[in-house]
Amino acid sequence: MKLSNQEIGAFMLLFNRNGYVLDFSTPQFDIFTLNSVGIALCEEYKLSKGKSLSSYINQASPESVITLLKDLFEYYEENYEGEFTPHEDSYWGEYKQSYNAEYARLYNKCKEIAIRVFGSSIPLIKEAEKLKESFSSDYLNAQIDLMLQMQSTNPTEAIGKAKELIESCCKTILEVNSLEYDKNWDVGKLTGETMKLLKLMPSDIPENAPAAAEMKSLLGNLRAIATNMAALRNPYGSGHGKSATYKGLTERHAKLAVGSSITLTSFLWETHEERRQKNEV
């Protein structure tokens, strides 16, 4: 998932204070960015803190930009609470800064972006982006983006979309290989048939292969992801009516479901692509 130029601009307005970056001294800022993205920005660019940050943002990869902005935003939340939290002057003792309505507005805007983008771990974002490039499908790419966004904002919907991603991947692989599937097959059956096609069943591993038992166990666990996803989705995911007393799962549960879905889908699709290149399917 990438940040738009407008979204990056919102964070820059929040952090950049007339050439300074928040309350960092130059040595402090270099240590912070070195720990965050592996580069001491002021030392690297020989510019002010604000200009060094802008130069890096303009040149770095999307993943690195997200990493640095995420770390800076977490620093801002920890150290500038008084700036975005309304309070009486008499209560300034609890805060380092006075309330500022303009920065509070910027903070709220950035917080919305952070929930959507930073809610996913960076490795997961990278894997999702790779998957989108592989699929080259507007529909599947939109589903992946929605799934990642909803981990924080709507865990119930994210769990439902995690299951749907597995189904879509399996159906696509079966269709590409001209294999018919029953529209009534559940996600476990779809995954099983896809793994049979790709020769990923535990029985496909020769007994004399290195670490055969471990490989068989891993493949069995991969298939179980789909079955368990369906079991999780039925009571907790989207797609079924819920009673008035229903309580959904939390963001961490949604992240588990989404991460598992992306892991399985990536493995199936990469295997499919590799076997197609070798004309094995």
Side-chain angles (χ1 to χ4, degrees):
M1 189 175 299
K2 297 179 181 178
L3 289 166
S4 68
N5 289 335
Q6 185 177 11
E7 290 170 334
I8 291 173
F11 283 106
M12 295 297 285
L13 286 173
L14 185 66
F15 302 147
N16 197 333
R17 310 291 172 103
N18 297 317
Y20 295 91
V21 176
L22 300 176
D23 59 355
F24 289 105
S25 66
T26 298
Q28 288 172 335
F29 187 59
D30 273 352
I31 292 172
F32 184 90
T33 59
L34 184 63
N35 290 333
S36 176
V37 291
I39 301 174
L41 296 192
C42 291
E43 181 179 337
E44 175 72 17
Y45 293 102
K46 312 299 183 187
L47 298 169
S48 68
K49 294 183 286 294
K51 290 182 178 179
S52 294
L53 176 60
S54 295
S55 297
Y56 180 78
I57 293 297
N58 290 331
Q59 297 175 11
S61 68
E63 294 81 12
S64 296
V65 169
I66 288 175
T67 298
L68 181 54
L69 293 182
K70 176 178 182 291
D71 289 343
L72 283 170
F73 189 69
E74 289 177 352
Y75 178 89
Y76 178 82
E77 287 193 308
E78 290 175 4
N79 295 278
Y80 279 76
E81 185 179 357
E83 188 171 82
F84 59 83
T85 304
H87 56 277
E88 298 283 343
D89 288 354
S90 58
Y91 290 97
W92 278 16
E94 298 180 17
Y95 304 103
K96 294 181 180 179
Q97 305 84 17
S98 60
Y99 176 72
N100 183 298
E102 179 61 22
Y103 281 125
R105 183 191 64 79
L106 268 173
Y107 165 75
N108 289 327
K109 182 177 181 179
C110 292
K111 183 65 174 179
E112 291 179 3
I113 301 169
I115 290 173
R116 176 175 60 83
V117 178
F118 302 159
S120 301
S121 65
I122 300 303
L124 186 61
I125 292 174
K126 289 181 179 178
E127 195 60 37
E129 290 296 327
K130 283 173 55 183
L131 197 55
K132 285 166 60 178
E133 290 176 8
S134 298
F135 279 146
S136 298
S137 161
D138 290 341
Y139 170 74
L140 288 176
N141 291 353
Q143 291 298 97
I144 292 171
D145 282 342
L146 279 172
M147 182 177 66
L148 291 171
Q149 292 171 21
M150 290 176 174
Q151 290 178 114
S152 300
T153 59
N154 192 337
T156 296
E157 191 69 27
I159 291 170
K161 298 235 175 268
K163 171 182 170 287
E164 291 170 14
L165 178 63
I166 298 172
E167 290 174 328
S168 296
C169 176
C170 291
K171 288 177 180 179
T172 302
I173 291 173
L174 293 172
E175 288 174 357
V176 167
N177 289 281
S178 303
L179 291 180
E180 294 184 2
Y181 57 85
D182 191 317
K183 65 178 183 180
N184 294 318
W185 283 358
D186 62 18
V187 67
K189 177 68 172 176
L190 280 167
T191 302
E193 292 300 314
T194 303
M195 293 183 74
K196 283 181 185 177
L197 169 70
L198 300 176
K199 296 180 172 33
L200 292 174
M201 299 298 286
S203 58
D204 292 316
I205 305 297
E207 294 295 337
N208 61 350
E214 289 77 10
M215 285 300 300
K216 288 175 182 285
S217 178
L218 281 172
L219 290 174
N221 290 337
L222 273 177
R223 184 179 181 183
I225 287 175
T227 304
N228 291 329
M229 194 73 70
L232 183 66
R233 185 257 191 185
N234 288 336
Y236 292 111
S238 59
H240 294 274
K242 306 292 190 296
S243 71
T245 58
Y246 167 74
K247 291 184 179 180
L249 295 180
T250 64
E251 179 181 345
R252 64 189 176 91
H253 297 105
K255 286 181 177 179
L256 175 62
V258 169
S260 298
S261 173
I262 288 178
T263 297
L264 173 58
T265 303
S266 296
F267 183 70
L268 292 176
W269 191 260
E270 287 174 6
T271 303
H272 161 67
E273 290 285 275
E274 183 179 299
R275 291 187 179 279
R276 283 190 71 195
Q277 291 173 5
K278 295 180 180 178
N279 296 316
E280 294 182 5
V281 293

Short mmCIF file of all heavy atoms in Angstrom, two decimals, residues 151-212:
data_model
loop_
_atom_site.label_atom_id
_atom_site.label_comp_id
_atom_site.label_asym_id
_atom_site.label_seq_id
_atom_site.Cartn_x
_atom_site.Cartn_y
_atom_site.Cartn_z
N GLN A 151 -8.44 -3.88 8.40
CA GLN A 151 -7.91 -4.54 9.60
C GLN A 151 -8.15 -3.71 10.84
O GLN A 151 -8.50 -4.24 11.90
CB GLN A 151 -6.40 -4.78 9.44
CG GLN A 151 -6.04 -5.82 8.42
CD GLN A 151 -4.54 -5.95 8.28
OE1 GLN A 151 -3.96 -6.96 8.61
NE2 GLN A 151 -3.88 -4.90 7.81
N SER A 152 -7.97 -2.40 10.70
CA SER A 152 -8.13 -1.50 11.84
C SER A 152 -9.54 -0.94 11.93
O SER A 152 -10.10 -0.82 13.01
CB SER A 152 -7.13 -0.34 11.75
OG SER A 152 -5.81 -0.81 11.74
N THR A 153 -10.11 -0.59 10.79
CA THR A 153 -11.39 0.11 10.80
C THR A 153 -12.59 -0.81 10.87
O THR A 153 -13.65 -0.42 11.39
CB THR A 153 -11.52 1.00 9.56
OG1 THR A 153 -11.42 0.18 8.38
CG2 THR A 153 -10.40 2.05 9.52
N ASN A 154 -12.47 -2.03 10.32
CA ASN A 154 -13.60 -2.96 10.30
C ASN A 154 -13.06 -4.40 10.29
O ASN A 154 -13.06 -5.06 9.27
CB ASN A 154 -14.47 -2.71 9.07
CG ASN A 154 -15.80 -3.43 9.14
OD1 ASN A 154 -15.94 -4.43 9.84
ND2 ASN A 154 -16.78 -2.94 8.40
N PRO A 155 -12.60 -4.90 11.45
CA PRO A 155 -12.01 -6.25 11.51
C PRO A 155 -12.93 -7.34 10.97
O PRO A 155 -12.47 -8.29 10.33
CB PRO A 155 -11.72 -6.44 13.00
CG PRO A 155 -11.56 -5.06 13.53
CD PRO A 155 -12.53 -4.22 12.76
N THR A 156 -14.23 -7.22 11.23
CA THR A 156 -15.18 -8.22 10.75
C THR A 156 -15.14 -8.33 9.23
O THR A 156 -15.07 -9.43 8.67
CB THR A 156 -16.61 -7.86 11.20
OG1 THR A 156 -16.67 -7.91 12.62
CG2 THR A 156 -17.63 -8.82 10.63
N GLU A 157 -15.16 -7.18 8.54
CA GLU A 157 -15.12 -7.18 7.09
C GLU A 157 -13.77 -7.68 6.58
O GLU A 157 -13.70 -8.37 5.56
CB GLU A 157 -15.39 -5.77 6.57
CG GLU A 157 -15.63 -5.68 5.07
CD GLU A 157 -16.94 -6.31 4.64
OE1 GLU A 157 -17.89 -6.35 5.45
OE2 GLU A 157 -17.01 -6.78 3.49
N ALA A 158 -12.69 -7.34 7.28
CA ALA A 158 -11.35 -7.78 6.86
C ALA A 158 -11.25 -9.29 6.89
O ALA A 158 -10.65 -9.91 5.99
CB ALA A 158 -10.30 -7.17 7.78
N ILE A 159 -11.83 -9.93 7.90
CA ILE A 159 -11.80 -11.39 8.00
C ILE A 159 -12.56 -12.02 6.83
O ILE A 159 -12.11 -13.00 6.22
CB ILE A 159 -12.39 -11.86 9.35
CG1 ILE A 159 -11.44 -11.45 10.48
CG2 ILE A 159 -12.62 -13.37 9.36
CD1 ILE A 159 -12.04 -11.63 11.86
N GLY A 160 -13.71 -11.42 6.48
CA GLY A 160 -14.47 -11.92 5.34
C GLY A 160 -13.69 -11.80 4.05
O GLY A 160 -13.67 -12.71 3.22
N LYS A 161 -13.00 -10.68 3.86
CA LYS A 161 -12.25 -10.46 2.64
C LYS A 161 -11.02 -11.37 2.57
O LYS A 161 -10.57 -11.73 1.48
CB LYS A 161 -11.85 -9.00 2.52
CG LYS A 161 -13.02 -8.04 2.44
CD LYS A 161 -12.92 -7.18 1.22
CE LYS A 161 -14.17 -6.29 1.08
NZ LYS A 161 -15.18 -6.95 0.27
N ALA A 162 -10.45 -11.72 3.73
CA ALA A 162 -9.30 -12.63 3.76
C ALA A 162 -9.71 -13.99 3.18
O ALA A 162 -8.96 -14.60 2.41
CB ALA A 162 -8.79 -12.78 5.18
N LYS A 163 -10.87 -14.47 3.55
CA LYS A 163 -11.38 -15.73 3.01
C LYS A 163 -11.67 -15.61 1.52
O LYS A 163 -11.33 -16.50 0.72
CB LYS A 163 -12.65 -16.14 3.76
CG LYS A 163 -13.39 -17.33 3.14
CD LYS A 163 -14.64 -17.63 3.92
CE LYS A 163 -15.53 -18.64 3.20
NZ LYS A 163 -16.20 -18.03 2.03
N GLU A 164 -12.27 -14.48 1.12
CA GLU A 164 -12.60 -14.28 -0.29
C GLU A 164 -11.35 -14.23 -1.17
O GLU A 164 -11.37 -14.66 -2.32
CB GLU A 164 -13.41 -12.99 -0.45
CG GLU A 164 -14.81 -13.09 0.15
CD GLU A 164 -15.51 -11.73 0.21
OE1 GLU A 164 -15.02 -10.78 -0.45
OE2 GLU A 164 -16.52 -11.62 0.90
N LEU A 165 -10.24 -13.68 -0.63
CA LEU A 165 -9.00 -13.61 -1.41
C LEU A 165 -8.50 -15.01 -1.73
O LEU A 165 -8.06 -15.28 -2.85
CB LEU A 165 -7.94 -12.83 -0.63
CG LEU A 165 -6.57 -12.73 -1.32
CD1 LEU A 165 -6.68 -11.98 -2.64
CD2 LEU A 165 -5.56 -12.04 -0.41
N ILE A 166 -8.56 -15.91 -0.75
CA ILE A 166 -8.13 -17.29 -0.98
C ILE A 166 -9.01 -17.93 -2.06
O ILE A 166 -8.52 -18.59 -2.99
CB ILE A 166 -8.18 -18.11 0.31
CG1 ILE A 166 -7.21 -17.54 1.35
CG2 ILE A 166 -7.84 -19.58 0.04
CD1 ILE A 166 -7.34 -18.18 2.72
N GLU A 167 -10.32 -17.74 -1.95
CA GLU A 167 -11.24 -18.29 -2.94
C GLU A 167 -10.94 -17.77 -4.34
O GLU A 167 -10.88 -18.54 -5.31
CB GLU A 167 -12.69 -17.94 -2.56
CG GLU A 167 -13.20 -18.65 -1.33
CD GLU A 167 -14.58 -18.16 -0.91
OE1 GLU A 167 -14.89 -16.96 -1.12
OE2 GLU A 167 -15.34 -18.98 -0.37
N SER A 168 -10.74 -16.45 -4.45
CA SER A 168 -10.48 -15.84 -5.76
C SER A 168 -9.18 -16.36 -6.36
O SER A 168 -9.10 -16.63 -7.57
CB SER A 168 -10.42 -14.31 -5.63
OG SER A 168 -11.67 -13.79 -5.22
N CYS A 169 -8.16 -16.49 -5.54
CA CYS A 169 -6.87 -16.99 -6.02
C CYS A 169 -7.01 -18.41 -6.55
O CYS A 169 -6.55 -18.73 -7.66
CB CYS A 169 -5.84 -16.93 -4.89
SG CYS A 169 -4.24 -17.63 -5.32
N CYS A 170 -7.66 -19.27 -5.78
CA CYS A 170 -7.81 -20.68 -6.19
C CYS A 170 -8.65 -20.79 -7.47
O CYS A 170 -8.30 -21.55 -8.38
CB CYS A 170 -8.45 -21.49 -5.06
SG CYS A 170 -7.38 -21.71 -3.63
N LYS A 171 -9.74 -20.05 -7.54
CA LYS A 171 -10.58 -20.10 -8.74
C LYS A 171 -9.82 -19.64 -9.97
O LYS A 171 -9.95 -20.21 -11.06
CB LYS A 171 -11.83 -19.24 -8.53
CG LYS A 171 -12.83 -19.84 -7.56
CD LYS A 171 -14.02 -18.91 -7.34
CE LYS A 171 -15.03 -19.51 -6.36
NZ LYS A 171 -16.18 -18.60 -6.12
N THR A 172 -8.99 -18.60 -9.80
CA THR A 172 -8.21 -18.09 -10.92
C THR A 172 -7.22 -19.13 -11.40
O THR A 172 -7.06 -19.35 -12.62
CB THR A 172 -7.47 -16.80 -10.52
OG1 THR A 172 -8.41 -15.82 -10.08
CG2 THR A 172 -6.67 -16.24 -11.68
N ILE A 173 -6.53 -19.77 -10.49
CA ILE A 173 -5.55 -20.80 -10.86
C ILE A 173 -6.22 -21.96 -11.56
O ILE A 173 -5.74 -22.46 -12.59
CB ILE A 173 -4.78 -21.29 -9.61
CG1 ILE A 173 -3.88 -20.17 -9.07
CG2 ILE A 173 -3.95 -22.53 -9.94
CD1 ILE A 173 -3.21 -20.50 -7.75
N LEU A 174 -7.37 -22.40 -11.06
CA LEU A 174 -8.09 -23.51 -11.69
C LEU A 174 -8.59 -23.12 -13.08
O LEU A 174 -8.49 -23.90 -14.03
CB LEU A 174 -9.26 -23.94 -10.81
CG LEU A 174 -8.89 -24.58 -9.46
CD1 LEU A 174 -10.13 -24.79 -8.61
CD2 LEU A 174 -8.17 -25.91 -9.67
N GLU A 175 -9.09 -21.89 -13.23
CA GLU A 175 -9.59 -21.43 -14.53
C GLU A 175 -8.46 -21.32 -15.55
O GLU A 175 -8.61 -21.71 -16.71
CB GLU A 175 -10.28 -20.08 -14.37
CG GLU A 175 -11.63 -20.17 -13.66
CD GLU A 175 -12.23 -18.80 -13.38
OE1 GLU A 175 -11.55 -17.78 -13.69
OE2 GLU A 175 -13.34 -18.74 -12.84
N VAL A 176 -7.32 -20.77 -15.12
CA VAL A 176 -6.18 -20.62 -16.03
C VAL A 176 -5.74 -21.98 -16.56
O VAL A 176 -5.30 -22.12 -17.71
CB VAL A 176 -5.00 -19.92 -15.32
CG1 VAL A 176 -3.72 -20.03 -16.14
CG2 VAL A 176 -5.34 -18.45 -15.07
N ASN A 177 -5.90 -23.00 -15.74
CA ASN A 177 -5.50 -24.35 -16.14
C ASN A 177 -6.66 -25.17 -16.69
O ASN A 177 -6.56 -26.40 -16.82
CB ASN A 177 -4.88 -25.07 -14.94
CG ASN A 177 -3.52 -24.52 -14.58
OD1 ASN A 177 -2.51 -24.82 -15.22
ND2 ASN A 177 -3.47 -23.65 -13.57
N SER A 178 -7.76 -24.48 -17.04
CA SER A 178 -8.93 -25.10 -17.68
C SER A 178 -9.52 -26.24 -16.87
O SER A 178 -10.00 -27.23 -17.42
CB SER A 178 -8.54 -25.61 -19.09
OG SER A 178 -8.04 -24.56 -19.89
N LEU A 179 -9.49 -26.08 -15.56
CA LEU A 179 -10.10 -27.08 -14.68
C LEU A 179 -11.40 -26.51 -14.11
O LEU A 179 -11.41 -25.42 -13.54
CB LEU A 179 -9.15 -27.45 -13.55
CG LEU A 179 -7.90 -28.24 -13.95
CD1 LEU A 179 -7.05 -28.54 -12.72
CD2 LEU A 179 -8.27 -29.54 -14.64
N GLU A 180 -12.48 -27.25 -14.29
CA GLU A 180 -13.76 -26.78 -13.79
C GLU A 180 -13.87 -26.99 -12.29
O GLU A 180 -13.29 -27.94 -11.74
CB GLU A 180 -14.90 -27.52 -14.50
CG GLU A 180 -14.99 -27.21 -15.99
CD GLU A 180 -16.20 -27.87 -16.63
OE1 GLU A 180 -16.98 -28.53 -15.90
OE2 GLU A 180 -16.37 -27.73 -17.86
N TYR A 181 -14.61 -26.13 -11.66
CA TYR A 181 -14.87 -26.27 -10.22
C TYR A 181 -16.36 -26.06 -9.98
O TYR A 181 -17.04 -25.37 -10.75
CB TYR A 181 -14.04 -25.29 -9.40
CG TYR A 181 -14.24 -23.84 -9.76
CD1 TYR A 181 -15.30 -23.10 -9.21
CD2 TYR A 181 -13.38 -23.20 -10.64
CE1 TYR A 181 -15.49 -21.77 -9.55
CE2 TYR A 181 -13.57 -21.87 -10.99
CZ TYR A 181 -14.62 -21.17 -10.43
OH TYR A 181 -14.81 -19.85 -10.78
N ASP A 182 -16.83 -26.67 -8.95
CA ASP A 182 -18.25 -26.54 -8.58
C ASP A 182 -18.44 -25.23 -7.83
O ASP A 182 -17.69 -24.93 -6.89
CB ASP A 182 -18.65 -27.73 -7.70
CG ASP A 182 -20.16 -27.82 -7.49
OD1 ASP A 182 -20.78 -26.77 -7.26
OD2 ASP A 182 -20.70 -28.94 -7.56
N LYS A 183 -19.43 -24.44 -8.23
CA LYS A 183 -19.65 -23.16 -7.57
C LYS A 183 -20.04 -23.33 -6.11
O LYS A 183 -19.98 -22.35 -5.33
CB LYS A 183 -20.75 -22.38 -8.31
CG LYS A 183 -22.11 -23.03 -8.26
CD LYS A 183 -23.15 -22.17 -8.97
CE LYS A 183 -24.54 -22.78 -8.87
NZ LYS A 183 -25.56 -21.96 -9.56
N ASN A 184 -20.42 -24.54 -5.72
CA ASN A 184 -20.80 -24.79 -4.33
C ASN A 184 -19.63 -25.26 -3.47
O ASN A 184 -19.80 -25.49 -2.27
CB ASN A 184 -21.92 -25.84 -4.27
CG ASN A 184 -23.22 -25.33 -4.89
OD1 ASN A 184 -23.61 -24.19 -4.68
ND2 ASN A 184 -23.86 -26.17 -5.68
N TRP A 185 -18.44 -25.41 -4.09
CA TRP A 185 -17.28 -25.81 -3.29
C TRP A 185 -16.97 -24.72 -2.26
O TRP A 185 -16.99 -23.52 -2.59
CB TRP A 185 -16.06 -25.99 -4.18
CG TRP A 185 -16.06 -27.28 -4.96
CD1 TRP A 185 -16.99 -28.28 -4.90
CD2 TRP A 185 -15.09 -27.68 -5.93
NE1 TRP A 185 -16.66 -29.29 -5.76
CE2 TRP A 185 -15.50 -28.96 -6.41
CE3 TRP A 185 -13.94 -27.12 -6.43
CZ2 TRP A 185 -14.77 -29.65 -7.37
CZ3 TRP A 185 -13.21 -27.80 -7.38
CH2 TRP A 185 -13.62 -29.05 -7.84
N ASP A 186 -16.66 -25.16 -1.05
CA ASP A 186 -16.24 -24.19 -0.04
C ASP A 186 -14.75 -23.89 -0.22
O ASP A 186 -14.07 -24.50 -1.06
CB ASP A 186 -16.56 -24.67 1.37
CG ASP A 186 -15.84 -25.97 1.75
OD1 ASP A 186 -14.84 -26.32 1.08
OD2 ASP A 186 -16.26 -26.61 2.72
N VAL A 187 -14.22 -22.96 0.58
CA VAL A 187 -12.84 -22.54 0.40
C VAL A 187 -11.85 -23.68 0.69
O VAL A 187 -10.79 -23.77 0.07
CB VAL A 187 -12.53 -21.31 1.29
CG1 VAL A 187 -12.57 -21.67 2.77
CG2 VAL A 187 -11.19 -20.68 0.93
N GLY A 188 -12.22 -24.59 1.60
CA GLY A 188 -11.35 -25.73 1.88
C GLY A 188 -11.23 -26.65 0.69
O GLY A 188 -10.13 -27.11 0.35
N LYS A 189 -12.35 -26.93 0.02
CA LYS A 189 -12.34 -27.78 -1.16
C LYS A 189 -11.59 -27.12 -2.30
O LYS A 189 -10.80 -27.76 -3.01
CB LYS A 189 -13.78 -28.08 -1.58
CG LYS A 189 -13.93 -28.90 -2.85
CD LYS A 189 -13.45 -30.32 -2.68
CE LYS A 189 -13.79 -31.14 -3.92
NZ LYS A 189 -13.25 -32.53 -3.83
N LEU A 190 -11.83 -25.82 -2.50
CA LEU A 190 -11.12 -25.09 -3.55
C LEU A 190 -9.61 -25.13 -3.34
O LEU A 190 -8.84 -25.35 -4.28
CB LEU A 190 -11.60 -23.63 -3.58
CG LEU A 190 -12.92 -23.34 -4.28
CD1 LEU A 190 -13.39 -21.94 -3.95
CD2 LEU A 190 -12.78 -23.51 -5.80
N THR A 191 -9.21 -24.91 -2.10
CA THR A 191 -7.77 -24.92 -1.80
C THR A 191 -7.20 -26.32 -2.01
O THR A 191 -6.09 -26.47 -2.56
CB THR A 191 -7.53 -24.46 -0.35
OG1 THR A 191 -8.08 -23.15 -0.18
CG2 THR A 191 -6.05 -24.42 -0.03
N GLY A 192 -7.93 -27.34 -1.58
CA GLY A 192 -7.46 -28.71 -1.74
C GLY A 192 -7.26 -29.07 -3.20
O GLY A 192 -6.23 -29.66 -3.58
N GLU A 193 -8.22 -28.71 -4.05
CA GLU A 193 -8.10 -29.02 -5.48
C GLU A 193 -6.97 -28.23 -6.13
O GLU A 193 -6.28 -28.73 -7.02
CB GLU A 193 -9.43 -28.72 -6.18
CG GLU A 193 -10.57 -29.64 -5.78
CD GLU A 193 -10.26 -31.10 -6.09
OE1 GLU A 193 -9.78 -31.40 -7.20
OE2 GLU A 193 -10.49 -31.95 -5.19
N THR A 194 -6.77 -27.01 -5.69
CA THR A 194 -5.68 -26.19 -6.22
C THR A 194 -4.33 -26.78 -5.82
O THR A 194 -3.40 -26.85 -6.64
CB THR A 194 -5.79 -24.74 -5.70
OG1 THR A 194 -7.05 -24.21 -6.06
CG2 THR A 194 -4.69 -23.87 -6.29
N MET A 195 -4.22 -27.24 -4.59
CA MET A 195 -2.97 -27.84 -4.13
C MET A 195 -2.70 -29.16 -4.83
O MET A 195 -1.54 -29.50 -5.10
CB MET A 195 -2.99 -28.00 -2.61
CG MET A 195 -2.98 -26.66 -1.86
SD MET A 195 -2.92 -26.79 -0.06
CE MET A 195 -1.21 -27.29 0.19
N LYS A 196 -3.75 -29.90 -5.16
CA LYS A 196 -3.57 -31.13 -5.93
C LYS A 196 -3.00 -30.80 -7.31
O LYS A 196 -2.07 -31.45 -7.79
CB LYS A 196 -4.91 -31.85 -6.09
CG LYS A 196 -5.39 -32.60 -4.86
CD LYS A 196 -6.71 -33.29 -5.16
CE LYS A 196 -7.28 -33.95 -3.91
NZ LYS A 196 -8.60 -34.57 -4.17
N LEU A 197 -3.60 -29.79 -7.95
CA LEU A 197 -3.12 -29.38 -9.28
C LEU A 197 -1.66 -28.98 -9.24
O LEU A 197 -0.88 -29.33 -10.15
CB LEU A 197 -3.98 -28.20 -9.77
CG LEU A 197 -3.47 -27.47 -11.01
CD1 LEU A 197 -3.62 -28.35 -12.25
CD2 LEU A 197 -4.21 -26.15 -11.20
N LEU A 198 -1.27 -28.26 -8.19
CA LEU A 198 0.09 -27.74 -8.09
C LEU A 198 1.07 -28.73 -7.46
O LEU A 198 2.23 -28.40 -7.25
CB LEU A 198 0.08 -26.43 -7.28
CG LEU A 198 -0.76 -25.29 -7.84
CD1 LEU A 198 -0.76 -24.10 -6.89
CD2 LEU A 198 -0.25 -24.86 -9.22
N LYS A 199 0.55 -29.94 -7.18
CA LYS A 199 1.37 -30.98 -6.55
C LYS A 199 1.95 -30.51 -5.22
O LYS A 199 3.15 -30.66 -4.95
CB LYS A 199 2.48 -31.45 -7.50
CG LYS A 199 1.96 -32.13 -8.76
CD LYS A 199 3.08 -32.58 -9.67
CE LYS A 199 2.61 -33.44 -10.83
NZ LYS A 199 1.29 -33.16 -11.39
N LEU A 200 1.08 -29.94 -4.41
CA LEU A 200 1.48 -29.44 -3.10
C LEU A 200 0.82 -30.21 -1.96
O LEU A 200 0.85 -29.76 -0.82
CB LEU A 200 1.09 -27.95 -2.97
CG LEU A 200 1.87 -26.97 -3.87
CD1 LEU A 200 1.28 -25.58 -3.75
CD2 LEU A 200 3.35 -26.96 -3.50
N MET A 201 0.27 -31.35 -2.28
CA MET A 201 -0.32 -32.16 -1.22
C MET A 201 0.80 -32.88 -0.47
O MET A 201 1.86 -33.18 -1.04
CB MET A 201 -1.28 -33.19 -1.81
CG MET A 201 -2.46 -32.56 -2.57
SD MET A 201 -3.49 -31.56 -1.49
CE MET A 201 -4.34 -32.86 -0.57
N PRO A 202 0.61 -33.16 0.82
CA PRO A 202 1.64 -33.89 1.57
C PRO A 202 2.05 -35.19 0.88
O PRO A 202 3.23 -35.57 0.92
CB PRO A 202 0.94 -34.16 2.91
CG PRO A 202 0.00 -33.01 3.08
CD PRO A 202 -0.50 -32.73 1.69
N SER A 203 1.10 -35.85 0.21
CA SER A 203 1.41 -37.12 -0.47
C SER A 203 2.32 -36.92 -1.67
O SER A 203 2.90 -37.89 -2.19
CB SER A 203 0.11 -37.79 -0.92
OG SER A 203 -0.63 -36.93 -1.77
N ASP A 204 2.47 -35.67 -2.14
CA ASP A 204 3.35 -35.39 -3.28
C ASP A 204 4.83 -35.34 -2.87
O ASP A 204 5.70 -35.28 -3.73
CB ASP A 204 2.96 -34.06 -3.94
CG ASP A 204 1.61 -34.13 -4.63
OD1 ASP A 204 1.37 -35.13 -5.32
OD2 ASP A 204 0.80 -33.19 -4.46
N ILE A 205 5.09 -35.30 -1.58
CA ILE A 205 6.47 -35.24 -1.10
C ILE A 205 7.01 -36.66 -0.94
O ILE A 205 6.47 -37.46 -0.16
CB ILE A 205 6.56 -34.51 0.25
CG1 ILE A 205 5.93 -33.12 0.16
CG2 ILE A 205 8.01 -34.42 0.72
CD1 ILE A 205 6.61 -32.19 -0.80
N PRO A 206 8.08 -37.04 -1.66
CA PRO A 206 8.66 -38.38 -1.53
C PRO A 206 9.15 -38.62 -0.09
O PRO A 206 9.66 -37.72 0.56
CB PRO A 206 9.84 -38.37 -2.50
CG PRO A 206 9.55 -37.25 -3.47
CD PRO A 206 8.80 -36.23 -2.67
N GLU A 207 8.97 -39.84 0.36
CA GLU A 207 9.36 -40.16 1.73
C GLU A 207 10.86 -39.99 1.97
O GLU A 207 11.28 -39.70 3.08
CB GLU A 207 8.95 -41.61 2.06
CG GLU A 207 7.46 -41.85 2.10
CD GLU A 207 6.79 -41.08 3.22
OE1 GLU A 207 7.47 -40.73 4.20
OE2 GLU A 207 5.56 -40.83 3.12
N ASN A 208 11.65 -40.15 0.90
CA ASN A 208 13.11 -40.05 1.06
C ASN A 208 13.63 -38.64 0.80
O ASN A 208 14.84 -38.40 0.78
CB ASN A 208 13.82 -41.04 0.13
CG ASN A 208 13.51 -40.78 -1.35
OD1 ASN A 208 12.64 -39.98 -1.67
ND2 ASN A 208 14.23 -41.47 -2.23
N ALA A 209 12.73 -37.67 0.62
CA ALA A 209 13.16 -36.29 0.39
C ALA A 209 13.70 -35.70 1.70
O ALA A 209 13.25 -36.09 2.79
CB ALA A 209 11.99 -35.44 -0.11
N PRO A 210 14.67 -34.78 1.61
CA PRO A 210 15.17 -34.14 2.83
C PRO A 210 14.04 -33.45 3.59
O PRO A 210 13.22 -32.76 3.00
CB PRO A 210 16.18 -33.10 2.29
CG PRO A 210 16.56 -33.62 0.94
CD PRO A 210 15.36 -34.30 0.39
N ALA A 211 14.01 -33.67 4.90
CA ALA A 211 12.99 -33.05 5.76
C ALA A 211 11.58 -33.33 5.25
O ALA A 211 10.69 -32.48 5.31
CB ALA A 211 13.22 -31.55 5.88
N ALA A 212 11.36 -34.56 4.77
CA ALA A 212 10.05 -34.91 4.21
C ALA A 212 8.93 -34.74 5.22
O ALA A 212 7.87 -34.19 4.91
CB ALA A 212 10.08 -36.35 3.70
#
